Amino acid sequence: MQALFRALPSADACLALLERSFPEAAHDTLLACCRGVLDDLRAAVRERRVTSPEELSLPAISGLLRASAARACAPRLRRVLNGAGVVVHTNLGRSTLAREAQEAVALAARDYCNLEFDLDSGERGSRTALVEGLICELTGAEAALVVNNNAAAVLLMLDTLCKGGEAVLSRGQLVEIGGSFRIPDVMVRSGAILREVGTTNRTHLSDYAEAINEQTRAVLWVHPSNFRVIGFHSAVSPAELAGLAHSRGLPLLEDLGSGSLLDLSPWGLRDEPAVPGVLRSGVDVVTFSGDKVLGGPQAGIIAGKKRFLDAMKKNQLLRALRCGKLTLAALEATLRLYRDPERACRSIPTLRRLTMRCEVLHARAEALLALLAPALGGLAEVRLEDGESRVGGGAFPEQGLPTELVSVRPLEMSAAALRARLLAGDPPLIGRLEHDWFQIDPRTLEDEDFPDVTRVLGEALSPRAASDHTA
Ligand SMILES: *Cc1c(COP(=O)(O)O)cnc(C)c1O
């Protein structure tokens, strides 16, 4: 064993090799890679996984060293190909931005801008005023405010309007959204006392009426987002609730979650109230996300009656929840596209994906198949099949969107092994596993992605990749 340890090259020799291959990399980063690889090899010797000195020579371990340095030098946040067919995929960054929004972000990133500077007076301005007018125009609200995300929007709303008092909420709406956002916990944080009414499956207007007392500050309505109660079930609509709340001098607050600005029912996305309709129904303040169905950057939008929004703008908590200039730039550019709904559906990727017609999906699946079939011949079977895409982001939970999947069945490995290799690809390709098939949904890929999809699949299926992996 001592002879094997002595066969290992010195850290300096390893470092010299890496410094030639990675001239731009920081010295300490490369040194850490060398030490890590040498430590792993010593462990392999102790565990008798390595038994010959030749396996430990500098040329023999140079592949390990370079792979370690390449990993250490690569950015951790990377482009991935979303073939999973979940349009608002929270784990993959939810919405990608329209070209107009990308350009606005680049401008705000590169140049100074009037983030908090009033160009009319030459005095200090307000960052919230940048998009407030646009939100009011598109939703019919009197006033609006933008914060870091919808969780922050709910927190600011409750902290401002309900702190120290009670907010009435149906037990059917005590929801947890993915990523551990729990309405009851957010309420505790805000200092509002949750007054639960009704039961999980049924809540009546009288339940709300009986719970209102002199401690009550607001009636709350939370969109159940990621689940639906079916069967013996009843809930009070926001319109009925608004009547009750207003007759008792209380505001009705709604956490809408996804928050579509357009009515998407012509595309089969029903039962999801759009923000303008929510406000027309009598809701006083509504909060929703910027990066779900809206298709913009991560943000929380608060819209509603001026006197409630004025109070939120004065809350010190806003300083901790406000969003940055890159977000505001992307949001403004995205919202501007909504002035022409047809243009919004064409230009905002999330909307374009949600409203993509079956004929288009079919043609695109055919186009991908035509690239894959010759490239993967002999390595996999490839075919088209009917399937469903998902909206994701908690919106329209039980509604699948019909799509056409491109399914790949590897001939020499399992579909699970193919999926694992694709995760190590450059860029990684995310898809769905269905029995022996790896499925790709063209809805969440761009046509320009198809050559990359073809290449990474070819690389992952090639037998050479297999031997690299076992080495
Ligand atoms: C998604 C969602 C949230 C959290 O929104 P973020 O923008 O992710 O903070 C809160 N409430 C509901 C109903 C949601 O659907």
Side-chain angles (χ1 to χ4, degrees), residues 343-358:
R343 177 154 182 224
C345 289
R346 264 198 323 274
S347 313
I348 298 173
T350 296
L351 280 186
R352 175 156 38 80
R353 289 166 191 152
L354 289 175
T355 59
M356 203 173 279
R357 304 204 167 279
C358 289

Side-chain angles (χ1 to χ4, degrees), residues 163-202:
K163 195 182 195 138
E166 295 181 1
V168 184
L169 176 65
S170 162
R171 290 198 171 86
Q173 298 177 359
L174 291 171
V175 299
E176 170 173 328
I177 323 291
S180 73
F181 173 89
R182 287 183 161 186
I183 275 290
D185 297 348
V186 176
M187 294 192 65
V188 171
R189 284 283 165 171
S190 74
I193 297 157
L194 174 62
R195 180 76 181 203
E196 301 173 23
V197 300
T199 61
T200 310
N201 58 331
R202 286 172 78 88

Side-chain angles (χ1 to χ4, degrees), residues 442-461:
R443 188 191 291 272
T444 45
L445 292 164
E446 297 297 306
D447 290 346
E448 302 82 77
D449 294 332
F450 288 179
D452 278 339
V453 171
T454 309
R455 178 178 53 77
V456 294
L457 269 168
E459 286 167 3
L461 286 163

Side-chain angles (χ1 to χ4, degrees), residues 94 149-152 154 175 177 181 183 222-225 255-258 288-292 298-300 393-394:
R94 289 194 181 162
N149 54 15
N150 187 35
V154 174
V175 299
I177 323 291
F181 173 89
I183 275 290
V222 177
H223 196 266
S225 279
D255 171 11
L256 184 57
S258 204
F288 52 100
S289 295
D291 55 352
K292 289 185 178 172
Q298 180 190 305

